[in-house]
Amino acid sequence: MEPLSRFLSPKAVVVIGGGTWCEAVVRQCRATGFDGPIWPVHPKKTEVGGLLAYPDLISLPGIPDAAFIGVNRELTVDVVGQLSAMGCGGAVCFAAGFSEAASELSDGEALQAKLVEAAGDMRVLGPNCYGIVNGLDKVALWPDRHGITPVDSGVAVIGQSSNVLINLTMQRRGLPLAMVVAAGNQAQTDMADLGIALLEDPRITALGLHIEGINSIPAFERLAARAAELDKPIVALRVGTSVQAQAAAISHTASLTGSNAGAQALLKRLGIAQVYSATELVETLKILHVTGGLASSRIASASCSGGEASLMADMGEVRGVTFPELTTSQAENLRKALGPKVALANPLDYNTYIWGDEAALTQTFTALCQADLGLACIVVDYPRDDRFEAPDYDQVLRAAAQARVETGTPVALVSLMSEGLPERVASEAMSLGVVPLCGMGDALRAISASVRAPHGDRNASFAPVLPPLQAPNGALILSEAEAKSLLSATGIRVPASVQAVSAEAAGASAENIGFPVVLKGEGIAHKTEAGAVVLNLATAAQVVTAAGQMPAKSFLVEEMITGTVAELIVGVTNDPAHGYVLTIGLGGILTELIRDTASVLIPATRAEVHDAVLGLRTAPLLTGYRGRPAAKIEAIVDSVMALQDFVQANAGTLHEVEINPLICRANDAVAADALIRMENHT
């Protein structure tokens, strides 16, 4: 396969087609600054986009490194074959009507397969995409406007929406955007392939992804591994939900996870930061470009306003950053810089006593930076540059830059409003090594997203994600007794139980188990809602009466588990896009209401499971909240790891498995209820 570097950084390009789009490509390529040969090809036109056109590919004076194909979908396949035969490096396939239109065009999938076959070893981008804008080599195989200007280094963004990419290139926030690539249908060259090639370019500092769907988990695992080797960060904006997430779920776990939890778990596993808006993506990429990623979420903040200091504190608390108390050294040096009238704290309101005194500002910011911090933030909003001149505000920028130089602590300017840092200021800050963060909310979310794991952790070798069950034929729900029998065989503790086919038999079975007991009606997924579970029955007569009132014909009689510290839900769902998703959360009847869960992908390490359990908001219930007994955490982890063993052993047939509740006690954990859905092979 041709190396992508030749295609992404071409020396000569060909544009095939003579319509408005192709004329735009020719003009955009020249306007971007490309000084290599551009060869338009059209069988009838003598000129395209102001350049001499060639009648066919055979007439070209050389072999192109990259092509833009702007003809109809059927002819696109023929042109791809010709380009491949002549040794072209790669082609942007602009035409639509391939796999993305399979529901409208019966031959869409087949035509895309022919396109890939015709390409051979030549790289193909798309189809159904705009192409590439490269600000490093000043080339644009792109049929529309874009806002990229030439840069010596910067970040790259790959997306599946050309329009989103256009909008990102128009940002005025100081982000040095080196390259954007529209992946389209990813028929041959996918987002992971492109990402690896871009990260291997020494001029590219970080990678942003706009993901609508992950089509290959192993490919993303390769991308993450290469990024770790190169020590370059990746941040993703993922959108869209799968059919699974929209479907009515039989288990509580499926309703809690859906596709989004699987995506979050996958990205976290791979060390890819996740953001939730385009502006967060831009702000995060700025931090990653300047710093390579933050060592921690411990930040300091300084502003000349108590109101801004309070907003930083309040907004930071909910966005995952922390403001450590000032150290003795920080406090002493701040007092020297600010005098006796300023209350010292983090976030710091340094008032306006030193406004206009660049030396004092530098001394203050330097003192604040002298601590173990991931980032120091200087809050400032410039006045409107169409109405005011603000040379005193530039003093703040220069002082922040000097503090960074003197201490080595990463420094950012943070504006309250996104327009508070004009493009001129943002660009100048970047040139001084200061991160310009536009808008306090986006800034704090970006700071949180930019914290990177220690270098050794990023290079840790995770076992490959367990592939999901593909093309299931249909699922069978096992009875609770069958499910518990299977789980018990893996080492999970379950209550003693007996099945009964009548109310009277249930009463007799209860005598044998010993009171108190639990009675459950069989064949009902959500028993509590259906009135098919009764707890703490103390006599056989009570069991018979309860059975007679249930909407069931057979029953499960179980020992009553006492000594409950807390109830958890532990479940695994088959997510077709991301693998088997293991979810742990607060269980019982309030599961969906509280929605306190953590998800990881299988196989998960014991340490991951342990962290997931203790990372729940309600984890204090497990560790002895307000003097109450604590649960045995290791017993909980043992149960989860045993459940994972069951999933791995049955991955070829398992749809989902759920324990709800897992009753957590001082000495053990017991699966009080269980649900399993597996392939129906009958």
Short mmCIF file of all heavy atoms in Angstrom, two decimals, residues 250-292:
data_model
loop_
_atom_site.label_atom_id
_atom_site.label_comp_id
_atom_site.label_asym_id
_atom_site.label_seq_id
_atom_site.Cartn_x
_atom_site.Cartn_y
_atom_site.Cartn_z
N ILE A 250 -34.19 -4.88 27.62
CA ILE A 250 -34.78 -5.82 28.56
C ILE A 250 -34.12 -5.66 29.92
O ILE A 250 -34.77 -5.69 30.95
CB ILE A 250 -34.62 -7.26 28.04
CG1 ILE A 250 -35.53 -7.45 26.84
CG2 ILE A 250 -34.94 -8.27 29.12
CD1 ILE A 250 -35.50 -8.83 26.25
N SER A 251 -32.79 -5.47 29.94
CA SER A 251 -32.09 -5.36 31.21
C SER A 251 -31.91 -3.90 31.60
O SER A 251 -31.94 -3.00 30.77
CB SER A 251 -30.71 -6.02 31.13
OG SER A 251 -29.82 -5.21 30.40
N HIS A 252 -31.70 -3.67 32.89
CA HIS A 252 -31.37 -2.32 33.37
C HIS A 252 -30.05 -1.88 32.77
O HIS A 252 -29.87 -0.72 32.41
CB HIS A 252 -31.26 -2.32 34.90
CG HIS A 252 -32.55 -2.63 35.59
ND1 HIS A 252 -33.49 -1.67 35.85
CD2 HIS A 252 -33.04 -3.79 36.09
CE1 HIS A 252 -34.51 -2.22 36.50
NE2 HIS A 252 -34.26 -3.51 36.66
N THR A 253 -29.09 -2.81 32.66
CA THR A 253 -27.76 -2.45 32.19
C THR A 253 -27.81 -1.85 30.80
O THR A 253 -27.17 -0.83 30.52
CB THR A 253 -26.84 -3.69 32.17
OG1 THR A 253 -26.89 -4.31 33.45
CG2 THR A 253 -25.41 -3.29 31.85
N ALA A 254 -28.56 -2.45 29.89
CA ALA A 254 -28.63 -1.95 28.53
C ALA A 254 -29.18 -0.54 28.48
O ALA A 254 -28.75 0.29 27.70
CB ALA A 254 -29.46 -2.89 27.66
N SER A 255 -30.16 -0.26 29.34
CA SER A 255 -30.73 1.09 29.34
C SER A 255 -29.75 2.10 29.90
O SER A 255 -29.82 3.28 29.59
CB SER A 255 -32.02 1.11 30.17
OG SER A 255 -31.75 0.92 31.54
N LEU A 256 -28.82 1.65 30.71
CA LEU A 256 -27.84 2.56 31.31
C LEU A 256 -26.64 2.80 30.40
O LEU A 256 -26.01 3.84 30.46
CB LEU A 256 -27.32 1.97 32.64
CG LEU A 256 -28.31 1.93 33.79
CD1 LEU A 256 -27.75 1.06 34.91
CD2 LEU A 256 -28.59 3.32 34.32
N THR A 257 -26.29 1.83 29.58
CA THR A 257 -25.05 1.93 28.82
C THR A 257 -25.28 2.48 27.42
O THR A 257 -24.86 3.58 27.11
CB THR A 257 -24.35 0.56 28.73
OG1 THR A 257 -25.24 -0.38 28.13
CG2 THR A 257 -23.95 0.08 30.10
N GLY A 258 -25.97 1.71 26.59
CA GLY A 258 -26.13 2.14 25.21
C GLY A 258 -24.78 2.28 24.54
O GLY A 258 -23.77 1.78 25.01
N SER A 259 -24.76 2.95 23.45
CA SER A 259 -23.53 3.10 22.69
C SER A 259 -22.59 4.10 23.32
O SER A 259 -21.38 3.97 23.21
CB SER A 259 -23.90 3.51 21.27
OG SER A 259 -22.85 4.12 20.61
N ASN A 260 -23.12 5.14 23.98
CA ASN A 260 -22.26 6.20 24.48
C ASN A 260 -21.32 5.70 25.57
O ASN A 260 -20.14 6.05 25.60
CB ASN A 260 -23.09 7.36 25.00
CG ASN A 260 -22.25 8.58 25.30
OD1 ASN A 260 -21.47 9.01 24.45
ND2 ASN A 260 -22.37 9.12 26.48
N ALA A 261 -21.83 4.88 26.47
CA ALA A 261 -20.97 4.35 27.52
C ALA A 261 -19.85 3.50 26.94
O ALA A 261 -18.72 3.53 27.42
CB ALA A 261 -21.79 3.54 28.52
N GLY A 262 -20.17 2.72 25.91
CA GLY A 262 -19.14 1.92 25.25
C GLY A 262 -18.08 2.79 24.61
O GLY A 262 -16.88 2.52 24.71
N ALA A 263 -18.51 3.86 23.95
CA ALA A 263 -17.55 4.78 23.32
C ALA A 263 -16.67 5.44 24.36
O ALA A 263 -15.45 5.55 24.20
CB ALA A 263 -18.30 5.83 22.51
N GLN A 264 -17.28 5.91 25.46
CA GLN A 264 -16.51 6.55 26.51
C GLN A 264 -15.50 5.57 27.11
O GLN A 264 -14.34 5.94 27.35
CB GLN A 264 -17.44 7.07 27.60
CG GLN A 264 -18.27 8.27 27.18
CD GLN A 264 -19.23 8.71 28.26
OE1 GLN A 264 -19.65 7.92 29.10
NE2 GLN A 264 -19.59 9.98 28.24
N ALA A 265 -15.93 4.35 27.34
CA ALA A 265 -15.02 3.35 27.91
C ALA A 265 -13.88 3.04 26.95
O ALA A 265 -12.72 2.89 27.37
CB ALA A 265 -15.79 2.08 28.25
N LEU A 266 -14.18 2.94 25.66
CA LEU A 266 -13.14 2.65 24.67
C LEU A 266 -12.13 3.78 24.59
O LEU A 266 -10.91 3.56 24.61
CB LEU A 266 -13.76 2.38 23.31
CG LEU A 266 -12.76 2.11 22.17
CD1 LEU A 266 -11.95 0.85 22.47
CD2 LEU A 266 -13.47 1.98 20.83
N LEU A 267 -12.62 5.00 24.49
CA LEU A 267 -11.70 6.14 24.38
C LEU A 267 -10.83 6.26 25.63
O LEU A 267 -9.62 6.54 25.54
CB LEU A 267 -12.48 7.42 24.13
CG LEU A 267 -13.21 7.50 22.78
CD1 LEU A 267 -14.06 8.75 22.70
CD2 LEU A 267 -12.24 7.43 21.61
N LYS A 268 -11.43 6.08 26.79
CA LYS A 268 -10.66 6.15 28.03
C LYS A 268 -9.59 5.06 28.05
O LYS A 268 -8.44 5.30 28.43
CB LYS A 268 -11.59 6.02 29.24
CG LYS A 268 -10.86 6.11 30.57
CD LYS A 268 -11.83 6.00 31.74
CE LYS A 268 -11.08 6.08 33.07
NZ LYS A 268 -12.02 5.96 34.23
N ARG A 269 -9.96 3.86 27.65
CA ARG A 269 -9.03 2.74 27.64
C ARG A 269 -7.84 3.04 26.74
O ARG A 269 -6.70 2.68 27.04
CB ARG A 269 -9.76 1.49 27.15
CG ARG A 269 -8.91 0.21 27.12
CD ARG A 269 -9.70 -0.89 26.43
NE ARG A 269 -9.07 -2.18 26.51
CZ ARG A 269 -9.30 -3.09 27.44
NH1 ARG A 269 -10.17 -2.83 28.39
NH2 ARG A 269 -8.69 -4.26 27.43
N LEU A 270 -8.11 3.71 25.62
CA LEU A 270 -7.07 3.99 24.63
C LEU A 270 -6.29 5.26 24.94
O LEU A 270 -5.37 5.60 24.20
CB LEU A 270 -7.69 4.09 23.23
CG LEU A 270 -8.39 2.83 22.72
CD1 LEU A 270 -8.97 3.07 21.33
CD2 LEU A 270 -7.44 1.64 22.70
N GLY A 271 -6.65 5.96 26.00
CA GLY A 271 -5.93 7.19 26.34
C GLY A 271 -6.29 8.35 25.44
O GLY A 271 -5.51 9.30 25.29
N ILE A 272 -7.49 8.30 24.82
CA ILE A 272 -7.96 9.37 23.95
C ILE A 272 -8.94 10.23 24.75
O ILE A 272 -9.96 9.74 25.22
CB ILE A 272 -8.65 8.80 22.69
CG1 ILE A 272 -7.64 7.99 21.87
CG2 ILE A 272 -9.25 9.92 21.85
CD1 ILE A 272 -8.25 7.28 20.68
N ALA A 273 -8.61 11.50 24.92
CA ALA A 273 -9.48 12.40 25.67
C ALA A 273 -10.79 12.59 24.92
O ALA A 273 -10.82 12.57 23.68
CB ALA A 273 -8.80 13.74 25.88
N GLN A 274 -11.88 12.79 25.65
CA GLN A 274 -13.18 13.00 25.01
C GLN A 274 -13.74 14.35 25.40
O GLN A 274 -13.72 14.74 26.57
CB GLN A 274 -14.16 11.90 25.40
CG GLN A 274 -15.48 11.99 24.63
CD GLN A 274 -16.38 10.79 24.85
OE1 GLN A 274 -16.08 9.91 25.66
NE2 GLN A 274 -17.48 10.72 24.13
N VAL A 275 -14.23 15.08 24.40
CA VAL A 275 -14.90 16.36 24.62
C VAL A 275 -16.29 16.28 24.02
O VAL A 275 -16.61 15.34 23.29
CB VAL A 275 -14.11 17.53 24.01
CG1 VAL A 275 -12.78 17.73 24.74
CG2 VAL A 275 -13.88 17.32 22.52
N TYR A 276 -17.12 17.30 24.30
CA TYR A 276 -18.54 17.19 23.96
C TYR A 276 -19.07 18.35 23.14
O TYR A 276 -20.28 18.46 22.95
CB TYR A 276 -19.34 17.02 25.26
CG TYR A 276 -18.93 15.76 26.00
CD1 TYR A 276 -17.92 15.80 26.95
CD2 TYR A 276 -19.51 14.54 25.69
CE1 TYR A 276 -17.51 14.64 27.60
CE2 TYR A 276 -19.10 13.38 26.34
CZ TYR A 276 -18.11 13.44 27.29
OH TYR A 276 -17.70 12.29 27.92
N SER A 277 -18.19 19.21 22.65
CA SER A 277 -18.61 20.27 21.74
C SER A 277 -17.43 20.66 20.87
O SER A 277 -16.27 20.38 21.20
CB SER A 277 -19.13 21.49 22.51
OG SER A 277 -18.05 22.18 23.14
N ALA A 278 -17.73 21.33 19.76
CA ALA A 278 -16.67 21.76 18.85
C ALA A 278 -15.76 22.79 19.52
O ALA A 278 -14.53 22.78 19.30
CB ALA A 278 -17.28 22.34 17.57
N THR A 279 -16.33 23.67 20.34
CA THR A 279 -15.49 24.67 21.00
C THR A 279 -14.58 24.02 22.04
O THR A 279 -13.43 24.44 22.20
CB THR A 279 -16.36 25.77 21.65
OG1 THR A 279 -17.38 25.16 22.45
CG2 THR A 279 -17.01 26.63 20.59
N GLU A 280 -15.07 23.01 22.74
CA GLU A 280 -14.20 22.28 23.67
C GLU A 280 -13.06 21.61 22.91
O GLU A 280 -11.92 21.55 23.40
CB GLU A 280 -15.00 21.22 24.42
CG GLU A 280 -15.93 21.73 25.49
CD GLU A 280 -16.70 20.60 26.13
OE1 GLU A 280 -16.09 19.56 26.45
OE2 GLU A 280 -17.93 20.73 26.28
N LEU A 281 -13.37 21.08 21.72
CA LEU A 281 -12.33 20.44 20.91
C LEU A 281 -11.23 21.44 20.56
O LEU A 281 -10.03 21.15 20.71
CB LEU A 281 -12.95 19.87 19.63
CG LEU A 281 -11.99 19.20 18.64
CD1 LEU A 281 -11.37 17.95 19.26
CD2 LEU A 281 -12.71 18.85 17.34
N VAL A 282 -11.62 22.63 20.13
CA VAL A 282 -10.64 23.65 19.77
C VAL A 282 -9.80 24.06 20.98
O VAL A 282 -8.57 24.14 20.91
CB VAL A 282 -11.35 24.87 19.15
CG1 VAL A 282 -10.37 26.04 18.99
CG2 VAL A 282 -11.96 24.51 17.80
N GLU A 283 -10.46 24.31 22.12
CA GLU A 283 -9.73 24.75 23.31
C GLU A 283 -8.79 23.66 23.81
O GLU A 283 -7.66 23.95 24.23
CB GLU A 283 -10.70 25.17 24.41
CG GLU A 283 -11.64 26.32 24.04
CD GLU A 283 -10.88 27.54 23.54
OE1 GLU A 283 -9.97 28.01 24.25
OE2 GLU A 283 -11.19 28.01 22.44
N THR A 284 -9.24 22.42 23.76
CA THR A 284 -8.38 21.32 24.21
C THR A 284 -7.17 21.17 23.30
O THR A 284 -6.04 20.96 23.78
CB THR A 284 -9.18 20.01 24.27
OG1 THR A 284 -10.32 20.18 25.11
CG2 THR A 284 -8.33 18.87 24.80
N LEU A 285 -7.38 21.27 22.01
CA LEU A 285 -6.27 21.16 21.07
C LEU A 285 -5.24 22.26 21.29
O LEU A 285 -4.03 22.04 21.13
CB LEU A 285 -6.78 21.18 19.63
CG LEU A 285 -7.42 19.87 19.14
CD1 LEU A 285 -8.11 20.08 17.80
CD2 LEU A 285 -6.37 18.76 19.03
N LYS A 286 -5.69 23.44 21.69
CA LYS A 286 -4.73 24.51 21.98
C LYS A 286 -3.84 24.14 23.16
O LYS A 286 -2.62 24.34 23.12
CB LYS A 286 -5.47 25.83 22.26
CG LYS A 286 -6.02 26.49 21.01
CD LYS A 286 -6.50 27.91 21.28
CE LYS A 286 -7.80 27.96 21.98
NZ LYS A 286 -8.34 29.34 22.08
N ILE A 287 -4.44 23.61 24.21
CA ILE A 287 -3.65 23.19 25.37
C ILE A 287 -2.67 22.10 24.98
O ILE A 287 -1.48 22.13 25.34
CB ILE A 287 -4.56 22.70 26.51
CG1 ILE A 287 -5.47 23.82 27.00
CG2 ILE A 287 -3.72 22.17 27.68
CD1 ILE A 287 -6.51 23.38 28.03
N LEU A 288 -3.14 21.12 24.22
CA LEU A 288 -2.29 20.00 23.82
C LEU A 288 -1.16 20.47 22.91
O LEU A 288 -0.03 19.96 23.00
CB LEU A 288 -3.13 18.92 23.14
CG LEU A 288 -4.22 18.28 24.01
CD1 LEU A 288 -5.00 17.24 23.20
CD2 LEU A 288 -3.64 17.66 25.27
N HIS A 289 -1.44 21.42 22.03
CA HIS A 289 -0.40 21.93 21.14
C HIS A 289 0.72 22.60 21.92
O HIS A 289 1.90 22.38 21.65
CB HIS A 289 -1.01 22.92 20.14
CG HIS A 289 0.02 23.66 19.34
ND1 HIS A 289 0.74 23.07 18.33
CD2 HIS A 289 0.46 24.95 19.41
CE1 HIS A 289 1.57 23.95 17.80
NE2 HIS A 289 1.42 25.10 18.44
N VAL A 290 0.36 23.41 22.88
CA VAL A 290 1.37 24.18 23.62
C VAL A 290 2.08 23.32 24.66
O VAL A 290 3.31 23.42 24.83
CB VAL A 290 0.73 25.41 24.31
CG1 VAL A 290 1.74 26.12 25.22
CG2 VAL A 290 0.20 26.37 23.27
N THR A 291 1.34 22.46 25.36
CA THR A 291 1.91 21.76 26.52
C THR A 291 2.20 20.28 26.28
O THR A 291 2.93 19.67 27.06
CB THR A 291 0.96 21.86 27.72
OG1 THR A 291 -0.21 21.06 27.48
CG2 THR A 291 0.55 23.31 27.98
N GLY A 292 1.60 19.69 25.25
CA GLY A 292 1.69 18.25 25.07
C GLY A 292 0.77 17.47 25.98
O GLY A 292 0.74 16.25 25.95
#
